[in-house]
Amino acid sequence: MDQGAEHAGDREDLKSKGLSRNTLGLLGGTVIGVSTVAPAYSLTATLGPSVGEAGLRMPAVFLAGFVPILLVAFAYRELNKVLPDCGTSFAWSVKAFGPSTGWMCGWGLLMASVVVLSNLAGVAASFLYLFLGEVAGNPDLTDLNDNKAVHVLTTLAFIAAATVISYRGITVTEWLQSVLVGLQLAVLALFIVMAISTAGEEPGALDFSWSWLDPFGVGSFTAFTAGVTLSMFMYWGWDSCLTVNEESVGSERTPGRAALLSVVIILCTYLLVAVAAQMYAGIGTEGTGLGNPETSDNVFAALAYPVMGSGTGVLLFVAVLTSAASSLQTTFIPVARTALAMSTYKALPATFAVVHPRFRSPARATVAAAVVTGSFYTLMTLVSENVLLDTVFALGLMISFYYGITAFACVWFFRGELRRSPGSLLMKGVLPGLGGLMLAGVFLRTMRDSWEPSYGSGSSVAGVGSVFVIGVGLLLLGAVIMLLMRRRSPEFFRGEVLHRATPPLTLED
């Protein structure tokens, strides 16, 4: 039987939710995927901590972290071919495993997005004052970021601005992101060339070695998994181009191709920057060394002028600022559209299913995401001195949780087709299954290690590591909310709204 015919009923189940149609092509989807990942910001925030965990094998950790992401990308592509729904992981895991597992998978995606949004907004605020201080030559402007009230208000202003742009629909988003993504990739390419060409000028400079790409040289398994968790944060966001599948030209194939193209572009960028930075600065703990704890949370701030000079070094600040700001805006895409899908299928309150009649965007879901993000970041800033680092590590838990469920959902959903051909077995079974197992291992190991206060920034709550409290606490909160929704919307949890063999109710019904 033809695959398309076999799953025709599934595609009919997943109807339009009022979003604009045939708006994004392959390039637009790829741009959104790369933008959400925010390569310039992700690199400056994680190069230092990754060296702290993996030493010279920092590039190898980036490569190792890419493997499960690539395997999950195959799962996303195969599921999207037959179930092109903006709810992605939520809708697919409901179809595969049932309402409860699907609801928690959707919750994991929502919370991962909120954590990233808050992190990006905070970084954008920090880099704004850093940039203003550098341009004006006035350190007092840079020091404004150390004022918690000023920092939080600026962060909330960035969230509000990103909300307005996302509210106005996908067309405005695509145009803006094309400019911003092009800018940051061009600056990173310039940094790579200049760092490699001037390598040897700094005291800690190193000659390139292929051993840097060997993950088996990492000191311990704990250090390896911590490094992979960080790299998971770096790759997160490529799946945003899947959440706009209902708005894409060729919704069954284009988003999957955009996802694979995005992760390849990101991998190449990360490896080249990692190698170039390590060749130029080394991994020492002083000066421009990547292992310097005083600069580990913002490596590009320390390398901008030494590598690129006083004339062009400021471009690196601009790249990181625009990277964080643009990703902040595109990260509203997955959270708003997942909430829209969950609300459409009665897994969340109906208010989130409202689509703006003019902009064709999930208006209320977008605004709600902004409110939750602003509240979360304000609270975390008040209770933690290391909110950015702790949320980066906690995000690894959230990502491995819902990516892993999605990978296993692919295997289970297509289980009846795995014996039909070697290609089906490989693409729908073996590769996604391996990705799911890897992510499950990362999730369990990170839970174990993050219980200790020494994990992440070293902060704790009642003797328990802050990373564990944030990551596991958000998942437990989801379980509580799911129980409340089970009482409010029992038809969804009975499988009467969204099920592999049951047509769902949509906005058009």
Side-chain angles (χ1 to χ4, degrees):
M1 182 184 296
D2 178 75
Q3 177 179 291
E6 179 177 350
H7 294 291
D10 295 313
R11 289 200 297 270
E12 291 172 1
D13 290 352
L14 302 170
K15 297 178 182 178
S16 170
K17 300 166 188 65
L19 298 168
S20 59
R21 306 289 291 180
N22 298 319
T23 302
L24 287 173
L26 178 62
L27 178 61
T30 303
V31 165
I32 286 176
V34 174
S35 173
T36 308
V37 171
Y41 154 65
S42 297
L43 283 164
T44 195
T46 54
L47 281 171
S50 296
V51 166
E53 298 292 345
L56 287 172
R57 267 56 178 199
M58 177 257 293
V61 167
F62 289 175
L63 190 59
F66 172 76
V67 173
I69 296 299
L70 178 62
L71 298 179
V72 171
F74 285 117
Y76 270 74
R77 186 188 66 174
E78 296 302 323
L79 287 166
N80 186 74
K81 286 180 181 178
V82 296
L83 305 172
D85 186 278
C86 71
T88 59
S89 293
F90 158 73
W92 300 334
S93 53
V94 170
K95 286 271 185 175
F97 297 131
S100 296
T101 301
W103 198 97
M104 285 302 299
C105 185
W107 176 261
L109 192 159
L110 290 176
M111 289 299 99
S113 300
V114 167
V115 170
V116 171
L117 282 169
S118 62
N119 195 287
L120 288 167
V123 168
S126 298
F127 264 86
L128 173 64
Y129 290 111
L130 183 60
F131 171 71
L132 292 176
E134 291 291 332
V135 171
N138 184 354
D140 291 337
L141 287 175
T142 302
D143 293 341
L144 282 175
N145 188 63
D146 296 330
N147 185 308
K148 277 194 175 184
V150 172
H151 175 79
V152 169
L153 288 175
T154 307
T155 299
L156 296 179
F158 269 106
I159 293 173
T163 303
V164 170
I165 297 172
S166 298
Y167 191 94
R168 293 181 63 83
I170 199 69
T171 302
V172 175
T173 295
E174 180 186 11
W175 176 84
L176 176 64
Q177 294 305 324
S178 297
V179 175
L180 298 180
V181 167
L183 171 64
Q184 63 176 301
L185 289 181
V187 174
L188 288 176
L190 181 61
F191 172 85
I192 292 166
V193 171
M194 298 184 74
I196 293 177
S197 63
T198 58
E201 296 181 0
E202 289 293 308
L206 300 170
D207 292 328
F208 172 74
S209 170
W210 287 105
S211 66
W212 295 355
L213 301 177
D214 176 17
F216 297 103
V218 179
S220 68
F221 188 67
T222 296
F224 177 78
T225 55
V228 171
T229 299
L230 282 168
S231 64
M232 297 272 292
F233 162 77
M234 296 178 67
Y235 290 112
W236 184 90
W238 59 269
D239 53 318
S240 293
C241 50
L242 274 299
T243 62
V244 293
N245 47 19
E246 295 187 31
E247 299 154 273
S248 299
V249 178
S251 60
E252 297 175 8
R253 294 188 177 275
T254 301
R257 292 171 178 170
L260 290 174
L261 185 56
S262 297
V263 295
V264 170
I265 291 173
I266 293 160
L267 171 67
C268 294
T269 302
Y270 284 172
L271 287 180
L272 287 171
V273 171
V275 168
Q278 202 156 277
M279 288 178 63
Y280 180 87
I283 61 170
T285 57
E286 297 180 356
T288 59
L290 299 181
N292 187 340
E294 296 181 1
T295 61
S296 63
D297 61 343
N298 189 357
V299 168
F300 285 158
L303 294 181
Y305 293 127
V307 173
M308 303 178 71
S310 58
T312 56
V314 71
L315 291 177
L316 204 52
F317 292 98
V318 174
V320 176
L321 175 59
T322 57
S323 178
S326 63
S327 181
L328 172 64
Q329 192 261 308
T330 50
T331 302
F332 274 103
I333 291 174
V335 66
R337 281 154 182 77
T338 300
L340 168 66
M342 294 180 73
S343 182
T344 297
Y345 300 127
K346 298 188 176 182
L348 286 178
T351 185
F352 300 125
V354 174
V355 171
H356 194 283
R358 176 185 172 191
F359 302 127
R360 315 305 294 174
S361 65
R364 292 186 182 176
T366 300
V367 173
V371 172
V372 173
T373 298
S375 302
F376 175 79
Y377 188 80
T378 301
L379 176 63
M380 289 303 301
T381 301
L382 294 177
V383 302
S384 174
E385 294 295 330
N386 302 282
V387 58
L388 293 179
L389 183 58
D390 285 337
T391 52
V392 165
F393 277 99
L395 182 63
L397 275 172
M398 314 302 296
I399 294 171
S400 56
F401 177 77
Y402 87 86
Y403 275 179
I405 292 177
T406 306
F408 290 133
C410 179
V411 178
W412 190 248
F413 184 84
F414 292 112
R415 64 190 183 280
E417 302 178 22
L418 300 183
R419 296 183 180 179
R420 292 185 180 177
S421 69
S424 291
L425 177 62
L426 182 66
M427 294 297 179
K428 300 174 182 178
V430 175
L431 296 182
L434 285 174
L437 290 172
M438 290 179 183
L439 291 166
V442 171
F443 177 78
L444 294 174
R445 182 69 188 214
T446 304
M447 279 188 61
R448 171 188 168 184
D449 294 339
S450 63
W451 176 268
E452 299 296 330
S454 58
Y455 194 88
S457 69
S459 60
S460 62
V461 177
V464 179
S466 294
V467 174
F468 184 94
V469 172
I470 296 171
V472 177
L474 289 174
L475 290 177
L476 292 177
L477 175 63
V480 172
I481 295 176
M482 183 180 70
L483 293 176
L484 296 176
M485 286 304 304
R486 187 185 294 273
R487 299 185 62 180
R488 178 170 177 169
S489 182
E491 60 267 45
F492 168 77
F493 290 96
R494 288 198 298 261
E496 298 171 2
V497 181
L498 179 60
H499 189 274
R500 180 164 183 149
T502 306
L505 300 176
T506 71
L507 293 175
E508 299 176 345
D509 292 326

